[in-house]
Amino acid sequence: MNLWDERYASAAYYYGTEPNDFLRDHAKVIPPGGTVLCLGEGEGRNAAFLAGRGYDVVALDQSPVGLEKAARLAKAKSVRFQTTVANLDGYRFEPNRWDGIVSIWCHLPSAMRSSLHRQVIVGLKPGGIFLLEAYTREQIRYGTGGPKDVDLLPSLAELRRDLDGMETLDGTERERIVQEGAGHGGLSAVVQLIARRPA
Ligand SMILES: C[S@@+](CC[C@H](N)C(=O)[O-])C[C@H]1O[C@@H](n2cnc3c(N)ncnc32)[C@H](O)[C@@H]1O
């Protein structure tokens, strides 16, 4: 059992059962009714939200324990989405498959993140949307959640470099209050990005 399986082993939902604020506020930019892949989706709160908005969602995570809870959350919220247990290290996307790819706090080592984001471009349909929120390196000083290893914490410039060729619709580094279950609580340093694969 890895760290994430252990973290998800209790009955409580570690980041709660409500969606991430940035996703909730901007989900409508993803083509309505489209296919959406949620990367590192954990216990399924964002997938459940998107499914409730009419998207055809797959929640991917390396934690089977998290995804079992995601399936229970889907039932409790009377929505349907698929779950896929997979490791994003070296992950290859089916080309032109997704109308949206969502990455909420999916913190990966920089080399893995870079290669994954090149793949995101492959996996999106033309006109498809990539939506991400992550902590930045400044978050280490805030101590309100997120990884402690700076290599896992991207800057906007790094994200834009890895997503070269995508059209940036919104790209911001900012402070905001994040309240999500027991896992995230308080003023935080985040990067938010919405990018579109050119049609
Ligand atoms: C901070 S949690 C975020 C969960 C979810 N996105 C949310 O906002 O509630 C990070 C998630 O990324 C997943 N993860 C980390 N490394 C991964 C990898 N290499 N492959 C697949 N999932 C990974 C973890 O299992 C964990 O569920």
Side-chain angles (χ1 to χ4, degrees), residues 3-162:
L3 175 143
W4 287 105
D5 285 333
E6 282 172 26
R7 192 165 278 173
Y8 294 147
S10 76
Y13 280 71
Y14 194 67
Y15 301 109
T17 56
E18 296 305 312
N20 166 269
D21 293 339
F22 181 63
L23 174 65
R24 186 197 56 223
D25 293 349
H26 297 280
K28 58 183 176 299
V29 74
I30 301 171
T35 52
V36 181
L37 177 65
C38 294
L39 301 171
E41 178 49 17
E43 298 169 307
R45 64 197 177 106
N46 300 311
F49 165 75
L50 289 165
R53 288 282 179 100
Y55 291 102
D56 179 4
V57 182
V58 174
L60 180 154
D61 202 284
Q62 51 83 38
S63 168
V65 177
L67 290 180
E68 277 158 29
K69 285 172 84 176
R72 288 204 290 278
L73 185 63
K75 209 170 252 180
K77 289 189 179 264
S78 302
V79 296
R80 294 171 79 101
F81 57 85
Q82 287 179 55
T83 60
T84 299
V85 177
N87 191 334
L88 289 168
D89 191 4
Y91 193 77
R92 290 283 170 268
F93 288 77
E94 183 187 328
N96 303 321
R97 166 81 171 80
W98 303 100
D99 293 291
I101 297 179
V102 168
S103 173
I104 301 296
W105 318 124
C106 183
H107 293 280
L108 301 171
S110 54
M112 196 193 300
R113 179 177 69 233
S114 200
S115 123
L116 179 72
H117 287 170
R118 299 306 303 160
Q119 275 292 306
V120 160
I121 303 172
V122 173
L124 283 172
K125 294 178 188 172
I129 295 290
F130 181 52
L131 183 152
L132 170 147
E133 186 169 44
Y135 291 113
T136 60
R137 289 184 188 129
E138 288 68 41
Q139 176 62 11
I140 300 236
R141 288 190 283 112
Y142 289 65
T144 50
K148 304 289 175 272
D149 176 353
V150 291
D151 188 52
L152 301 181
L153 299 166
S155 66
L156 179 58
E158 288 163 338
L159 294 172
R160 290 184 75 152
R161 189 193 58 216
D162 292 342

